């Protein structure tokens, strides 16, 4: 918060920027315009302090990968955050050091099917095109039926949802795309 207050310009998606609208900072909204964002940072940071805000931890399927392609380590200061994966595991009261961490966000589901088949515990980020219900249906169709599943949607928001069940039960749930899903051989 101190660095955000000190910054002249805030860069983030619309949902995050809304939370800081009271600070009356100049802003740049991220929406399929990452190359422009990099140019904007390059130009603004010559004279002003720029903060890029990310959900969770910027290094966990976040904006850091992109920023490291355009800026050196010395040009960036990374403040760690609590990843949605960590928050989900805390809510479900399970460890995550023994899990395979992966994502379907913007990557499609097929890639994770074999990962899930071959690992006893997988934690994955879902996305608008791959909701927990959709992922559960794809797994069932691929013959993966006996694993236990859970998903945590809209974590830390008033509409937060925590659900545990079989893949069949997850497949019946409403479509909550902003979720972390856990699929395990053991009870969750
Ligand atoms: C681009 S990734 C960013 C992940 C982020 N860097 C992190 O550490 O959580 C976006 C995905 O993170 C997950 N996510 C982000 N915020 C979430 C929340 N509040 N509740 C549940 N999942 C969330 C969802 O799977 C979403 O599709």
């Amino acid at each position: 918060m101190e660095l955000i207050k000190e910054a002249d310009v805030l860069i983030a998606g619309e949902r995050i920027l809304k939370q800081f609208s009271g600070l009356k900072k100049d802003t740049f909204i991220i929406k399929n315009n990452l190359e422009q964002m990099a140019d904007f940072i390059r130009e603004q940071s010559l004279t002003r302090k720029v903060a890029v805000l990310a959900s969770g931890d910027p290094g966990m399927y976040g904006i850091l990968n992109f920023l490291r392609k355009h800026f050196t380590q010395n040009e960036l200061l990374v403040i760690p955050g609590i990843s949605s994966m960590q928050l989900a595991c805390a809510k479900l009261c399970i460890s995550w050091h023994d899990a395979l961490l992966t994502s379907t966000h913007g990557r499609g589901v097929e890639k994770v099917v074999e990962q899930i088949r071959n690992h006893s515990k997988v934690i994955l980020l879902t996305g608008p095109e791959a909701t927990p219900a959709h992922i559960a249906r794809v797994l069932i169709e691929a013959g993966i039926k006996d694993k236990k599943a859970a998903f945590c949607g809209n974590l830390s928001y008033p509409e937060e949802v925590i659900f545990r069940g079989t893949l069949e039960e997850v497949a019946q749930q409403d479509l909550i795309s902003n979720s972390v899903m856990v699929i395990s051989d053991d009870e969750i």
Side-chain angles (χ1 to χ4, degrees):
M1 271 313 292
E2 275 168 31
L3 289 170
I4 290 170
K5 284 182 191 157
E6 275 176 26
D8 301 299
V9 188
L10 302 183
I11 299 179
E14 210 157 12
R15 182 168 55 96
I16 295 179
L17 283 178
K18 241 186 222 158
Q19 296 174 38
F20 298 95
S21 56
L23 296 177
K24 308 273 180 240
K25 303 280 186 186
D26 286 347
T27 58
F28 179 102
I29 303 172
I30 301 177
K31 44 176 178 187
N32 277 336
N33 53 357
L34 290 183
E35 293 299 330
Q36 284 118 288
M37 178 192 78
D39 294 341
F40 179 81
I41 296 173
R42 176 79 56 215
E43 178 232 314
Q44 288 286 315
S45 60
L46 292 174
T47 52
R48 308 174 81 201
K49 288 186 181 166
V50 178
V52 181
L53 312 183
S55 72
D57 188 277
M60 181 52 109
Y61 292 104
I63 193 81
L64 182 57
N65 242 8
F66 177 83
L67 290 172
R68 282 292 280 114
K69 290 185 185 134
H70 286 78
F71 301 95
T72 64
Q73 290 172 354
N74 292 338
E75 290 174 308
L76 297 168
L77 170 66
V78 180
I79 310 296
I82 298 175
S83 170
S84 56
M85 286 200 178
Q86 280 172 274
L87 195 47
C89 290
K91 289 278 175 179
L92 293 168
C93 203
I94 58 171
S95 63
W96 51 286
H97 63 261
D98 49 353
L100 176 84
L101 311 180
T102 186
S103 173
T104 60
H105 186 94
R107 294 151 194 258
V109 183
E110 280 60 37
K111 191 182 133 281
V112 299
V113 171
E114 293 313 308
Q115 290 181 314
I116 292 168
R117 200 192 301 279
N118 296 326
H119 288 84
S120 59
K121 188 178 188 180
V122 173
I123 304 172
L124 69 152
L125 301 180
T126 71
E129 65 298 325
T131 62
H134 175 69
I135 294 165
R137 282 194 290 273
V138 171
L139 294 176
I140 292 165
E141 275 165 28
I144 301 172
K145 295 197 171 82
D146 296 333
K147 302 233 179 200
K148 313 289 183 298
F151 67 87
C152 303
N154 299 318
L155 283 160
S156 81
Y157 287 90
E159 58 276 21
E160 182 175 279
V161 179
I162 310 288
F163 183 90
R164 291 178 173 87
T166 61
L167 285 171
E168 297 278 358
E169 286 164 339
V170 172
Q172 305 302 320
Q173 291 306 301
D174 283 345
L175 307 179
I176 299 172
S177 59
N178 197 29
S179 286
V180 177
M181 193 170 177
V182 181
I183 299 157
S184 170
D185 287 344
D186 301 320
E187 212 65 53
I188 301 169

